[in-house]
Amino acid sequence: MTMIKIDQYFDPAGWQKFTKAAEGRETPLLVVDLSRIKTKFHEMVGFFPNAKIHYAMKASPAVEVINLLADLGSNFDCASIYELERVLDCGVDASRISYGNTIKKAEHVKYAFDKGVDLYATDSAADLKNIAEHAPGSKIFVRILVQGSETAEWPLSRKFGCHPDMAIELLIQARALGLVPYGISFHVGSQQKDVAAWDDALAKVKYMFDWMKNEEGIKLQMINLGGGFPANYISEVNPIKVYAEEINRYLTDDYNAEDMPEIILEPGRSLVGGSGVLVSDVVLISRKSNTDLTRWVYTDVGLFQGLIETLGEAIKYPVYTPKMETSTSEGTVVLAGPTCDSTDIMYEEAGYQLPEELGIGDKIYWLTTGAYTNSYSSVEFNGFPPLEVTYID
Ligand SMILES: Cc1ncc(COP(=O)(O)O)c(C=O)c1O
């Protein structure tokens, strides 16, 4: 894997903001530039003018991010009552919030309902019953299982969603239980590189919309297209514009303008990923034998300080060190974190290249680390404190 160029990711002024914010600060430190989230949000709204954006808070549940997106008019999807509490505390009205987790305790459904939330995801009869009991009359969307795990860098597997036949049964049951069978959702997998994954999923949804109308007289009103839109890591991805053009085309192929359902998007990674740079120091460089061709580079950040998505080397962050600008030779490295856990190796197989001149104490910058980092950071594994974050705009 060749070394990156910083100008592939930032213009000089944009990059300077990050380095300035980190100057003199202890590492590891995540620097988040809120202005980049603002730009991404406007971009998303511009490309999907008819969709409602429910920011997937799990990507970064920070108050600074919520306040920004709330001011920009975003809605929110929460995964727990704790995220719900956070977003309500930021002054967001419950009418702008969906409860997107299909796994929830009865008392948490009650809590959300008491706070005014009336839009719930489900994918099972037991959860549906819970919702009927504790959030009576609410709007239900059923999550279906879809393809896409082979082309997503962070697949969401089979944990969520159900077969469309079961989803139809749940929607029918929802009506019988006094709930509103409102729509269908899916998630094609996070960092989904194949736009056609939405095409396959929407074909299933269309079939279900028609079935429900023709066989049950139920007119579903909403499609939730989930997240999955990419951030800019190492491997090339299509711009959001291409995703939007394709998805909007799939939708207009399937529905007339007057029948177009409400469209919800739940982006997480694509909105906030590019806003973060994780600044770390090199703690140790070593080799495992006198003839070892590979250097082991240990940084003060690892899987337990926010880089958990490097598990299985799934998400490949762009890694930058200023010595790349002047380096005359580079070599393959293993990149590992600081803890005494052998899982704490970010990249062993990927073949990351770093300058031979790299030394202990040098800075390593992990780009595109604004999503799924700070919230994943452990509390005190090996005694290391949770990841420090600073916000700039
Ligand atoms: C229900 C739901 N919606 C949205 C998202 C956000 O997905 P992404 O970060 O790929 O945009 C997730 C991610 O796990 C999710 O579980």
Side-chain angles (χ1 to χ4, degrees), residues 31-287:
V31 182
V32 173
D33 182 351
L34 295 169
S35 72
R36 296 176 72 87
I37 300 178
K38 190 172 173 181
T39 305
K40 283 285 173 198
F41 182 80
H42 285 314
E43 195 179 278
M44 199 95 190
V45 171
F47 289 135
F48 290 100
N50 301 318
K52 277 172 80 179
I53 294 181
H54 283 230
Y55 168 57
M57 291 177 64
K58 54 179 77 69
S60 174
V63 166
E64 290 81 353
V65 175
I66 297 169
N67 282 335
L68 170 78
L69 288 171
D71 287 349
L72 295 175
S74 183
N75 303 284
F76 294 85
D77 181 64
C78 62
S80 67
I81 58 162
Y82 310 103
E83 282 190 351
L84 173 60
E85 238 168 35
R86 174 80 57 91
V87 66
L88 289 172
D89 282 351
C90 289
V92 175
D93 193 80
S95 61
R96 292 166 66 185
I97 303 170
S98 49
Y99 199 148
N101 195 342
T102 56
I103 307 161
K104 38 201 176 301
K105 292 181 175 176
E107 58 266 36
H108 289 190
V109 175
K110 184 175 178 337
Y111 177 92
F113 183 69
D114 289 345
K115 294 289 179 190
V117 175
D118 75 343
L119 184 57
Y120 295 84
T122 194
D123 63 3
S124 68
D127 182 58
L128 186 69
K129 198 162 151 273
N130 243 344
I131 300 169
E133 213 167 299
H134 299 289
S138 292
K139 294 182 280 191
I140 294 299
F141 56 99
V142 178
R143 181 157 167 182
I144 57 167
L145 279 167
V146 293
Q147 304 297 315
S149 51
E150 304 79 26
T151 45
E153 289 188 357
W154 192 258
L156 295 176
S157 78
R158 291 175 46 77
K159 183 173 174 188
F160 305 101
C162 61
H163 188 280
D165 289 347
M166 181 180 272
I168 285 176
E169 284 166 22
L170 291 173
L171 287 163
I172 296 168
Q173 219 177 330
R175 179 175 62 177
L177 289 168
L179 296 163
V180 180
Y182 194 60
I184 298 165
S185 74
F186 57 82
H187 196 303
V188 292
S190 200
Q191 190 71 6
Q192 176 56 258
K193 294 176 78 176
D194 184 7
V195 190
W198 277 268
D199 194 13
D200 287 351
L202 282 169
K204 287 185 177 162
V205 171
K206 172 66 175 148
Y207 165 80
M208 295 173 66
F209 263 64
D210 288 347
W211 174 278
M212 291 297 289
K213 188 161 157 233
N214 299 333
E215 305 295 323
E216 294 296 329
I218 294 176
K219 193 168 185 307
L220 296 175
Q221 299 172 59
M222 183 274 278
I223 309 175
N224 180 329
L225 306 176
F229 305 98
N232 200 12
Y233 298 116
I234 288 274
S235 56
E236 198 183 353
V237 288
N238 275 306
I240 293 291
K241 182 172 186 284
V242 171
Y243 282 73
E245 280 168 358
E246 289 297 290
I247 290 170
N248 287 329
R249 186 169 61 80
Y250 305 147
L251 286 168
T252 47
D253 280 354
D254 281 350
Y255 306 90
N256 301 322
E258 61 275 14
D259 284 336
M260 183 62 74
E262 176 186 330
I263 301 297
I264 287 182
L265 306 176
E266 288 180 1
R269 189 183 300 281
S270 58
L271 276 188
V272 300
S275 70
V277 171
L278 181 42
V279 188
S280 68
D281 275 355
V282 175
V283 179
L284 178 70
I285 302 177
S286 66
R287 294 182 196 260

